Amino acid sequence: MSKDLREVDRRLTQDFRFYAKTAPLIVKPKSGPLIPLRLNNAQEILHQEIEKQLKETGKVRIIVVKGRQQGVSTLIGGRFYHKTSRNQANNTFIITHLAEATANLYDMTIRYHNNVDDRLRTPTLSSSKKGIQFEGIDSNYRIATAGSAEVGRSFTITNFHGSEVAFWPDPEKIAAGALQAVPDLPGTEVIFESTANGMNNDFYVMCENARKGVGEFKLVFIPWFVTPEYRKELPEGFRLTDEEVNIKETYGLDDRQIMWRRNKIDTDFKGKVSKFYQ
């Protein structure tokens, strides 16, 4: 292999952006045909925080509080597929809150795998609804649904993704059990993410501890307004309330974002602002 080809191979293994573009990683958008993954604003925020922590500590320990449908699971899934399929003895384990979500993340992973350029696709020994076993590198990509506190305990995990943790039946026990399978070593990555589910749950406690600097997890908050499509056309005679003026000025929003917020509160949450905040 020439020096140039070795450099390309190194970048494909170490540089997620380069791999996602070159492979390419293909995603299913909210509407329309399949497209290559290009990081949106929310994904960009998380990607930079991950890379920053990895550079500073040699590993990743992050908790993400997010808005709805911002592509967080898509980014984590792509990142971990990349790591697992390009490295030896690299084991990914993903736990979701519902069987339907497990199936969706499996489909996303298979979509990544099936659309990678033939020259870059790592062969598989097996593939099932539980995940993928890659041939020749002793690496696995597994997906499960939160249920038993024992889930994940029997594996050695390099990369762990806990999806919608606030909706797990017993997040403290499940997370503690899975984390025992992740060695405290450089290169390991653990990412918990969820939309909020009130304050009376273990995920809230996890977030508060991270916010206060208790333990090694870093809290990453991704607000709804970084998502460009969360805007709505203004009706005739649109006027901001005093509260909306304050929100607009505080967060640097535009009127169409405020209108989207107002519509969500009035339509989806029957006027309950607290539900929107959640």
Side-chain angles (χ1 to χ4, degrees), residues 126 210 251:
S126 64
Y251 299 104

Side-chain angles (χ1 to χ4, degrees), residues 70-86:
Q70 292 183 303
V72 168
S73 291
T74 300
L75 172 68
I76 299 170
R79 180 183 182 86
F80 286 176
Y81 172 79
H82 167 233
K83 284 191 65 183
T84 309
S85 64
R86 294 288 303 181

Side-chain angles (χ1 to χ4, degrees), residues 62-63 66 73 93-99 101-102 105 143-152 157 160-179 182 190-197 200-204 206 217:
I62 281 177
I63 298 174
K66 63 179 185 177
S73 291
F93 193 72
I94 297 173
I95 300 179
T96 73
H97 65 309
L98 293 172
T102 303
L105 289 188
I143 307 174
T145 305
S148 168
E150 304 300 314
V151 65
I157 301 171
F160 178 78
H161 173 196
S163 179
E164 293 293 355
V165 179
F167 299 89
W168 288 3
D170 195 344
E172 184 178 31
K173 289 184 178 179
I174 295 173
L179 287 177
V182 182
V190 178
I191 304 175
F192 294 107
E193 50 85 0
S194 188
T195 49
N197 188 25
N200 189 28
N201 57 70
D202 291 326
F203 182 68
Y204 177 81
M206 291 167 62
F217 278 87

Side-chain angles (χ1 to χ4, degrees), residues 54-245:
L54 185 61
K55 183 178 181 179
E56 291 174 350
T57 70
K59 58 187 179 182
V60 174
R61 300 292 186 270
I62 281 177
I63 298 174
V64 185
V65 183
K66 63 179 185 177
R68 294 184 180 277
Q69 297 190 0
Q70 292 183 303
V72 168
S73 291
T74 300
L75 172 68
I76 299 170
R79 180 183 182 86
F80 286 176
Y81 172 79
H82 167 233
K83 284 191 65 183
T84 309
S85 64
R86 294 288 303 181
N87 291 278
Q88 289 189 333
N90 203 284
N91 300 318
T92 288
F93 193 72
I94 297 173
I95 300 179
T96 73
H97 65 309
L98 293 172
E100 181 181 3
T102 303
N104 288 339
L105 289 188
Y106 170 78
D107 290 344
M108 179 186 71
T109 305
I110 290 299
R111 187 178 301 112
Y112 285 146
H113 185 69
N114 289 343
N115 286 282
V116 166
D117 188 296
D118 291 342
R119 295 167 295 178
L120 301 179
R121 185 186 304 114
T122 304
T124 60
L125 282 175
S126 64
S127 177
S128 70
K129 292 295 182 181
K130 293 183 178 180
I132 302 173
Q133 182 179 8
F134 292 99
E135 182 179 357
I137 57 175
D138 196 25
S139 294
N140 297 275
Y141 193 109
R142 297 184 177 95
I143 307 174
T145 305
S148 168
E150 304 300 314
V151 65
R153 283 180 179 268
S154 61
F155 305 126
T156 298
I157 301 171
T158 314
N159 316 296
F160 178 78
H161 173 196
S163 179
E164 293 293 355
V165 179
F167 299 89
W168 288 3
D170 195 344
E172 184 178 31
K173 289 184 178 179
I174 295 173
L179 287 177
Q180 294 304 309
V182 182
D184 188 18
L185 294 173
T188 57
E189 301 192 8
V190 178
I191 304 175
F192 294 107
E193 50 85 0
S194 188
T195 49
N197 188 25
M199 299 168 66
N200 189 28
N201 57 70
D202 291 326
F203 182 68
Y204 177 81
V205 175
M206 291 167 62
C207 291
E208 280 296 285
N209 286 338
R211 184 179 66 84
K212 296 173 183 176
V214 177
E216 61 181 349
F217 278 87
K218 179 176 183 179
L219 183 64
V220 176
F221 176 67
I222 303 178
W224 65 269
F225 50 77
V226 303
T227 302
E229 61 265 32
Y230 287 176
R231 285 175 167 84
K232 196 167 181 65
E233 292 302 319
L234 303 179
E236 187 175 350
F238 174 80
R239 294 289 185 275
L240 295 172
T241 66
D242 290 344
E243 179 191 28
E244 288 172 340
V245 169

Side-chain angles (χ1 to χ4, degrees), residues 36-50:
L37 175 63
R38 297 291 182 267
L39 301 193
N40 63 30
N41 293 344
Q43 292 167 335
E44 185 66 43
I45 290 170
L46 180 55
H47 174 72
Q48 290 187 18
E49 291 290 352
I50 290 171

